[in-house]
Each structure stands twice: as C-alpha cells, then as structure tokens.
Amino acid sequence: MRLNHMLDTLDKLESEALSEIESVQSEDTLESWRIAFLGSKGRLKGVMPMLKDVPKEEKPAVGKRLNEVKVSLESAFDARKQSLTSQEHPQSPMDVTEPGVPSRLGRRHIITRTIDEISEVFKRMGFSIAFGPEVEDEYHNFNALNIPEDHPAREPIDNFYMGDDRMLRSQTSTVQIRVMEQTKPPIKVIAVGRVYRPDTHDATHYSMFHQCEGLFVAPKVSMVDLKTTLFQFAKSYFGEEAEVRFRPSFFPFTEPSAEVDMKMKIKGKWQWVEIGGCGLVDPQVFTEVGYDPEKWQGYAFGLGIERIAMLKNGIPDIRLLFENDARFLRQF
Ligand code: DAH
C-alpha cells in the first residue's frame, strides 16, 4: 500500500516535471523549474520523508525509482538548458549552407583597356611609349606643328586657353615635338593620352577624349611604310580581313597628308570607318626641332581612341563612357 502510493507519487511527479519543462522558453523559467523540482526545498526532496514509512524490504525498490526520477529530471534539465543556449547563441555564427555573396571584382574601364590593347599591338611592331603634358603651351600645340597664327584650329571657341600662354592640349601631336626636342633620331614612338576641346556634348563629341599618336623618324620613310604599319595594326586589332584606305587630306604638320579609314566588321557587316589622320612629317617640323630635313624623313598618325573603342564594342554614344555608370561599364 505504502509502496504503491510512493511509486505513484514519483510517477506523477516525473510526468508533471517533464511536461512542464516542455513549455520552458527562457533560462529564467528553467531555473524556476529546477528550484521547484530539484531544489533543496523542491518536490523531489519533498517526497523523501515518505521513505521512512516504506517497509524495510521494499526500500531498495523505492530508492531505485527515486534515483531514476532524479536522473531523469536532471537530464531533462541539462537537455533544455543546452537547447536554450544554442538558440540564443547558435553554435556556429556561419551557415555554411547559405548561398555565398559574390565578390565584385573591379575591372579596367573600356577606354583603359582599349589603350592597353592598342599599345600592345604597336609595341609588338617596335614602337615605344612616350608621354607629354596635358597642360601645354601654344608653341607645342600649334607653332612647332606648323599651324599658322590665323589657322581656324586656334579659334578661342575651339580650345581651352588658360589666359596665359598655357592651354589644355587639343591633340597628342604635341608629343611628337616633345619627343623630338629631347631625343635624337631615329625615333619610333606612340603617345596615348587625353586631349581637350570645348565641344558641345552629343553622341559623338565630348570635351575630353583620347588619341593615339604615332611618330616614326628614319633616314628613308615613305607613305608605303606608313600604310603598311597601319594595315598591320588594323589586322591585328580588327581581324585578318580588316583593310586600310587613305584619302588625300591636309594637316599643317604632314605633307602629304591623308585621312585613315579602316574596314572593320560592325554588327556583322564590313564597313569603312574613318579613324584618324596621318602623313609624312613636314620638313618644316623637322627644322623647328633641329633635325636636318635633308637627312631625316618620317611619318606620323593620330587615331581616335573613343572612336575605335565604340566601333569595336558597339557603343552608340560617347557620353556613356564618362557617366561612370557601373551597370554600363561592367559589360565590357
Ligand atoms: N592631330 C590631328 C587631330 O587631332 C590628327 C593627326 C593627323 C595626327 C595627322 C597626326 C597626323 O600625327 O599626321 O586632328
């Protein structure tokens, strides 16, 4: 009778404790649960006094059950504690199954890439790279290039004059002069860089753009050398089927002078496109830099970088290049 009563009490206590702990949601309530059931004045301890009324021979069985319930409540407590802490502080702060965040690699601007590619082609043909200042004087931008005082290219509305003798260079042909002033012939250089003209911005004009200037000076140089070089460039840059065509033209610093057209594939169709000017260096330019025009000949050319980049990559509007919209630039 006693025995049954005590075992019933233990069963009831265990099942109550286990069902209550199910709804425990915080460490605080878990602690209250521990005090209520396992504490020194808790319900399990409260059953102890009943043990003295249990007949001696039945004591081991009751004691065993008492111990079982204690262990069962303690392990329920441990398990709950564990699950609460892991909810609050997940074991790993990183979910390795979550899809990764792609890292955004930067890239060279399409104009920078075009410059690098064009420079590579000319370097393979034996040209070295020259640089000149973007803030120039009128002497290097005009006079030394045989451009007379009354030439329309000098018009104030077509140039960024700075009030003194200085200006933003309007062409990279200035670098021809700078190189020849500093170097004895023979010369074989290209100069790539920015030039500035106060043009109204539209699909094909911008107040800053890039040119690739070429200069070759040797004892004997002809239009054939010039055309061959540009032909080689066209083929390596625009493909084996590319062609070059010269149209007679005039530049004060070359004689004869020509406009350069290249035949390239645009949207699957081969088309002739003007990409720059060229010619044989005018003897007057050699005289100006102290080269003997009887001893030296040369060719020069100037190509528009934006034009080349836009044609090759199907870019319809020059302004897109300089708006710094990463969504646009990322495509190239
Ligand atoms: N400097 C000229 C321009 O900006 C382009 C040019 C034409 C460069 C003929 C040259 C050349 O070297 O020989 O329009």
Side-chain angles (χ1 to χ4, degrees):
M1 184 62 193
R2 271 288 163 214
L3 168 65
N4 280 344
H5 177 59
M6 178 119 184
L7 289 179
D8 284 351
T9 311
L10 283 172
D11 286 349
K12 199 162 157 253
L13 191 151
E14 185 185 27
S15 68
E16 261 180 53
L18 294 182
S19 94
E20 252 179 58
I21 203 169
E22 281 300 308
S23 55
V24 165
Q25 291 303 343
S26 72
E27 299 204 34
D28 283 353
T29 29
L30 182 63
E31 183 56 12
S32 314
W33 179 92
R34 192 192 63 79
I35 293 166
F37 289 97
L38 292 165
S40 52
K41 292 178 185 146
R43 297 212 3 218
L44 198 61
K45 278 269 153 59
V47 185
M48 297 295 191
M50 292 163 71
L51 201 55
K52 66 178 190 308
D53 300 328
V54 174
K56 198 169 166 223
E57 62 280 11
E58 285 161 11
K59 272 193 177 143
V62 176
K64 183 168 171 265
R65 178 64 187 138
L66 195 64
N67 208 46
E68 272 172 17
V69 173
K70 182 166 176 265
V71 169
S72 140
L73 297 200
E74 279 170 356
S75 53
F77 173 83
D78 288 345
R80 196 71 196 164
K81 178 146 191 140
Q82 175 89 48
S83 85
L84 285 177
T85 14
S86 67
Q87 269 170 32
E88 274 166 41
H89 316 283
Q91 259 170 358
S92 163
M94 186 170 68
D95 178 356
V96 293
T97 64
E98 198 173 283
V101 181
S103 57
R104 276 261 173 84
L105 282 183
R107 67 186 69 201
R108 284 174 299 161
H109 190 282
I110 180 62
I111 290 300
T112 309
R113 227 185 61 206
T114 306
I115 290 172
D116 291 350
E117 287 167 2
I118 292 175
S119 305
E120 256 333 292
V121 174
F122 281 113
K123 276 198 272 185
R124 285 205 297 274
M125 293 196 274
F127 287 83
S128 21
I129 312 283
F131 296 93
E134 289 175 29
V135 177
E136 258 298 1
D137 48 47
E138 293 186 44
Y139 175 77
H140 288 90
N141 203 87
F142 298 124
N143 305 42
L145 286 162
N146 200 30
I147 300 173
E149 291 291 342
D150 57 357
H151 195 279
R154 291 194 181 226
E155 288 287 334
I157 55 155
D158 290 329
N159 291 282
F160 285 108
Y161 289 112
M162 298 173 92
D164 43 21
D165 179 41
R166 294 176 309 157
M167 62 181 297
L168 298 182
R169 70 180 179 196
S170 63
Q171 50 184 352
T172 46
S173 304
T174 54
V175 189
Q176 292 186 33
I177 305 301
R178 297 245 164 224
V179 169
M180 289 192 282
E181 281 173 343
Q182 289 157 17
T183 330
K184 284 190 165 48
I187 284 174
K188 197 173 185 183
V189 293
I190 58 160
V192 187
R194 297 192 180 108
V195 299
Y196 302 84
R197 293 178 197 175
D199 286 332
T200 304
H201 293 179
D202 62 25
T204 52
H205 295 86
Y206 210 79
S207 47
M208 183 281 299
F209 55 100
H210 298 73
Q211 289 184 332
C212 171
E213 191 82 15
L215 174 68
F216 177 55
V217 180
K220 269 215 155 317
V221 179
S222 74
M223 287 297 269
V224 175
D225 301 315
L226 173 57
K227 197 167 181 182
T228 307
T229 304
L230 292 174
F231 183 57
Q232 288 302 327
F233 167 75
K235 294 207 322 171
S236 42
Y237 197 70
F238 292 110
E240 271 305 305
E241 294 161 88
E243 287 178 50
V244 171
R245 168 171 92 180
F246 281 3
R247 280 178 294 113
S249 184
F250 174 80
F251 298 101
F253 38 92
T254 44
E255 182 61 36
S257 304
E259 307 275 352
V260 188
D261 297 344
M262 290 190 182
K263 195 176 185 182
M264 61 186 83
K265 211 173 196 169
I266 300 167
K267 290 185 190 138
K269 257 184 41 214
W270 288 88
Q271 268 175 262
W272 284 107
V273 188
E274 181 189 329
I275 66 160
C278 69
L280 296 184
V281 179
D282 192 298
Q284 179 53 41
V285 174
F286 281 147
T287 307
E288 190 65 35
V289 296
Y291 285 12
D292 183 351
E294 299 297 326
K295 280 199 196 153
W296 299 101
Q297 295 183 329
Y299 66 63
F301 58 83
L303 312 175
I305 301 280
E306 277 73 9
R307 197 153 164 75
I308 292 175
M310 288 166 69
L311 288 166
K312 186 157 177 172
N313 298 284
I315 298 169
D317 192 316
I318 193 172
R319 291 169 290 194
L320 290 167
L321 294 169
F322 306 118
E323 282 169 354
N324 285 338
D325 186 337
R327 291 168 303 178
F328 169 76
L329 296 172
R330 212 183 287 140
Q331 304 173 80
F332 306 103

